[in-house]
Amino acid sequence: MKKNEAPSQIMDKERSISTFISDIKSLFKAGVLIANVLPVFTGFWLALHFSNQSFMDNINLFVLTIIGSTLVMAGALVINNWYDVDIDTIMARTQKRPTVTGHFSLKIVLALGIVLSIVGFILLLFTTIEATVYAFIGWFTYVILYTMWSKRRYTLNTVIGSVSGAVTPLIGWAAIIPGIPLLPLVLFMIIFIWQMPHTFAIAIKKYDEYKAAGVAMLPVVRGLDVTKRQMVVYIACLLPLPFFLVQLGTTFIVIATILNIGWLVVAIKGLFTKDNLKWAHANFLYSVNYLTILFLLMILVTIPY
């Protein structure tokens, strides 16, 4: 502390630093970004395991893959914030984003999103072309097809947006092994299907905000009953997928099946409940933990002992 600084000045600086960190986390959607890194790592890890390669022998490739894919995803999320500033102003959960508060100018945010995306793609080009292509598919789907085209127009925006998250394990896998055999394809399907009930749960929780902002989410356009039924159907579609991953062993299949049945039970209860917000929140929490446990389990069952 400088001698000529008053306590109030120090507190102001601390608040400024805290606000800046909060703004950065909000701009990059830190939770979403971190959640997308795990499937990339899982795809990379499983590719190493099934090709009998050492992690340490591929450490440089791993760093390029993780940093490159993370920057691409961060770029896409930042551009999403830039484009959605008008509806973010209306929705309570997004009103503290720096694009809304004016802490960051929109020009800087757009430039940052573009730079992050380009740097990410350049880094991925040092892995494999295939991994870069999958990253581009995810980026293009999220930024162009979801954010700029379908989000405000069609309830299918959730289906379209799900593709961007589902390609993450393919990026990690393709950095090691070319082609798409059954295993990474099943990982793609798990995340793709998972995102539907996960996103619907959020849309039910934030129904009033999405309605006020004019976002074409399924509960807003088709109602809660239709959304609940679709959630049950999508979760039921997850049931057979663990059985296509026999390479991961019986323990994985049993635990994954228990997780699927548990989520299906939670979803079915929603067909008979009147407390939609409480039920939607329970589904949201289950979905977040579900994906984390499932992908961590894939890594744990393939760790050599």
Side-chain angles (χ1 to χ4, degrees):
M1 180 176 67
K2 294 181 180 179
K3 292 182 178 180
N4 59 344
E5 282 186 323
S8 60
Q9 291 176 311
I10 296 171
M11 290 178 66
D12 287 341
K13 285 185 178 181
E14 290 176 349
R15 288 195 201 99
S16 297
I17 293 172
S18 175
T19 300
F20 179 77
I21 293 173
S22 178
D23 284 342
I24 290 295
K25 289 170 65 177
S26 178
L27 185 65
F28 288 97
K29 300 184 181 180
V32 176
L33 189 59
I34 293 171
N36 278 282
V37 173
L38 177 59
V40 177
F41 174 69
T42 303
F44 189 93
W45 177 268
L46 293 179
L48 287 175
H49 175 76
F50 289 107
S51 61
N52 295 313
Q53 297 186 53
S54 165
F55 179 80
M56 294 309 299
D57 289 342
N58 291 276
I59 189 67
N60 292 335
L61 185 60
F62 170 74
V63 171
L64 287 169
T65 303
I66 293 297
I67 295 179
S69 59
T70 301
L71 289 178
V72 169
M73 290 183 284
L77 292 168
V78 169
I79 294 173
N80 172 269
N81 273 343
W82 165 78
Y83 190 84
D84 279 350
V85 63
D86 57 333
I87 60 176
D88 285 348
T89 304
I90 299 171
M91 298 179 67
R93 73 185 185 96
T94 57
Q95 286 177 348
K96 292 184 179 180
R97 287 178 178 171
T99 47
V100 177
T101 62
H103 292 171
F104 296 164
S105 76
L106 292 180
K107 288 183 179 180
I108 290 177
V109 170
L110 176 59
L112 179 63
I114 293 172
V115 169
L116 288 171
S117 301
I118 292 173
V119 173
F121 284 126
I122 291 173
L123 292 178
L124 285 174
L125 284 171
F126 287 97
T127 61
T128 66
I129 294 296
E130 193 168 348
T132 310
V133 168
Y134 291 133
F136 178 76
I137 290 172
W139 184 94
F140 182 82
T141 302
Y142 187 76
V143 173
I144 306 300
L145 299 183
Y146 170 71
T147 298
M148 297 183 179
W149 176 59
S150 65
K151 182 176 181 178
R152 309 178 191 216
R153 295 180 176 89
Y154 311 109
T155 57
L156 283 175
N157 62 34
T158 308
V159 177
I160 294 169
S162 294
V163 174
S164 58
V167 299
T168 48
L170 301 185
I171 297 170
W173 181 277
I176 297 294
I177 303 175
I180 298 296
L182 181 61
L183 191 148
L185 185 59
V186 174
L187 301 190
F188 173 92
M189 291 303 301
I190 288 173
I191 299 180
F192 177 79
I193 295 172
W194 166 85
Q195 284 186 103
M196 302 301 294
H198 170 76
T199 306
F200 289 158
I202 296 173
I204 293 173
K205 288 179 61 180
K206 304 298 180 181
Y207 175 89
D208 292 336
E209 294 183 37
Y210 280 116
K211 185 175 181 180
V215 180
M217 301 302 290
L218 187 66
V220 175
V221 178
R222 299 291 302 278
L224 297 182
D225 290 340
V226 171
T227 305
K228 289 179 180 181
R229 290 195 295 270
Q230 288 205 18
M231 288 175 70
V232 171
V233 171
Y234 278 114
I235 295 169
C237 289
L238 290 169
L239 288 172
L241 295 183
F243 297 94
F244 290 97
L245 299 173
V246 292
Q247 307 99 310
L248 299 180
T250 303
T251 300
F252 172 81
I253 294 175
V254 170
I255 295 176
T257 300
I258 292 172
L259 287 172
N260 286 337
I261 293 173
W263 195 4
L264 185 60
V265 170
V266 173
I268 290 174
K269 287 182 179 180
L271 301 177
F272 308 99
T273 187
K274 293 182 179 179
D275 193 343
N276 293 313
L277 290 180
K278 183 178 179 180
W279 171 80
H281 185 64
N283 268 275
F284 169 75
L285 291 178
Y286 197 106
S287 67
V288 171
N289 288 289
Y290 170 89
L291 197 70
T292 303
I293 294 170
L294 201 65
F295 276 76
L296 285 176
L297 185 61
M298 293 178 190
I299 296 169
L300 290 174
V301 297
T302 51
I303 293 176
Y305 294 101

